[in-house]
């Protein structure tokens, strides 16, 4: 009972610490800017002759979701909270104090992940819901089609950036390098090399779900999506492997107090 109480307390404290942070405030700016962009595009006023959403508008809105939301905003939300979960304790020099507590390291890591995941999912899925509401009928179709992909991507990114916070003293810098090089650069190179990027699997899920609503499939010369089953399996495996590595490293690693 004492262990459960300590685990719950650490989870709630970590959640509160992550939520009331500069990272949360900084995250609101790109999310708000994207909302303003969608409002200015007037997706909500676009209909075809039958009164339903226009397919070209759906393609246009899907393009925004694929190139901006999935490739930039989703990893940014996960980076803001995932790297700060343990990274904040290391930078504030409270990690060693936390490790000398009788709570097992595995439970400490689990508490950090449980505190991070609701925030990542809340900001990604919450902003996605707002964007789809702002887009009107086009957004309603996109919300049902793309929500599973957003959830799978968010969980995978949260697990990966938690691993970064275990491995690196300054995980935010490492995560930014990863996001810029692996997700943006390699993730958009034609060929098989893009499979190193999480957003490749997320975009494969989105293309698979969007085609039935009229989304134009990409030219396979530039982007050859996986099947939905393979993409979901890949994202689940990334999540599991990242969490397992984070648990193994955090359980065995000796952390030292670093000078300023």
């Amino acid at each position: 009972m004492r262990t459960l109480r300590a685990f719950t307390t650490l989870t709630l404290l970590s959640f509160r610490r992550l939520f009331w942070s500069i990272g949360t405030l900084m995250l609101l700016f790109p999310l708000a800017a994207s909302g303003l962009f969608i409002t200015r595009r007037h997706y909500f006023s676009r209909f075809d002759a039958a009164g339903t959403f226009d397919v070209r508008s759906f393609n246009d809105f899907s393009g925004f979701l694929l190139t901006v939301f999935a490739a930039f905003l989703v990893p940014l939300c996960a980076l803001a909270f995932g790297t700060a979960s343990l990274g904040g304790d290391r930078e504030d020099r409270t990690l060693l104090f936390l490790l000398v507590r009788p709570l097992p390291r595995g439970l400490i890591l689990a508490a950090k992940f449980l505190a991070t995941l609701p925030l990542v999912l809340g900001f990604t899925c919450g902003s996605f819901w707002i964007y789809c509401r702002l887009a009107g009928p086009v957004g309603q179709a996109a919300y049902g089609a793309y929500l599973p992909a957003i959830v799978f991507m968010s969980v995978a990114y949260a697990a990966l950036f938690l691993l970064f916070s275990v491995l690196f003293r300054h995980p935010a810098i490492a995560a930014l390098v990863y996001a810029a090089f692996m997700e943006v650069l390699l993730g958009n190179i034609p060929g098989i090399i893009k499979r190193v990027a999480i957003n490749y699997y997320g975009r494969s899920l989105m293309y698979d779900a969007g085609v039935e609503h009229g989304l134009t499939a990409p030219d396979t010369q530039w982007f050859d999506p996986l099947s939905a089953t393979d993409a979901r399996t890949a994202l689940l495996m990334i999540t599991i492997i990242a969490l397992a590595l984070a648990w193994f490293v955090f359980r065995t690693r000796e952390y030292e107090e670093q000078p300023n």
Side-chain angles (χ1 to χ4, degrees), residues 50-72:
T52 57
F53 70 86
D54 179 57
V55 173
R56 286 191 302 175
S57 298
F58 183 79
N59 271 279
D60 190 10
F61 184 57
S62 296
F64 164 79
L65 294 175
L66 285 159
T67 58
V68 178
F69 187 74
F72 176 68

Side-chain angles (χ1 to χ4, degrees), residues 40 58 252:
R40 295 277 296 176
F58 183 79
T252 56

Side-chain angles (χ1 to χ4, degrees), residues 3-84:
T3 301
L4 178 61
R5 188 182 306 163
F7 173 78
T8 305
T9 301
L10 178 60
T11 303
L12 294 176
L13 285 175
S14 300
F15 178 88
R16 192 180 310 163
R17 182 179 184 179
L18 289 171
F19 183 77
W20 298 106
S21 65
I22 296 297
T24 302
L25 183 62
M26 297 301 293
L27 196 55
L28 295 179
F29 289 101
L31 293 177
S34 298
L36 289 175
F37 172 80
I38 292 172
T39 304
R40 295 277 296 176
R41 296 287 293 179
H42 298 289
Y43 292 108
F44 58 86
S45 62
R46 301 185 192 180
F47 302 93
D48 60 12
T52 57
F53 70 86
D54 179 57
V55 173
R56 286 191 302 175
S57 298
F58 183 79
N59 271 279
D60 190 10
F61 184 57
S62 296
F64 164 79
L65 294 175
L66 285 159
T67 58
V68 178
F69 187 74
F72 176 68
L73 293 179
V74 172
L76 186 64
C77 290
L79 187 154
F81 298 115
T83 58

Side-chain angles (χ1 to χ4, degrees), residues 188-191 194 218-224:
N188 289 286
I189 292 179
K194 64 168 59 69
D219 188 339
T220 54
Q221 178 182 0
W222 300 102
F223 188 88
D224 187 14

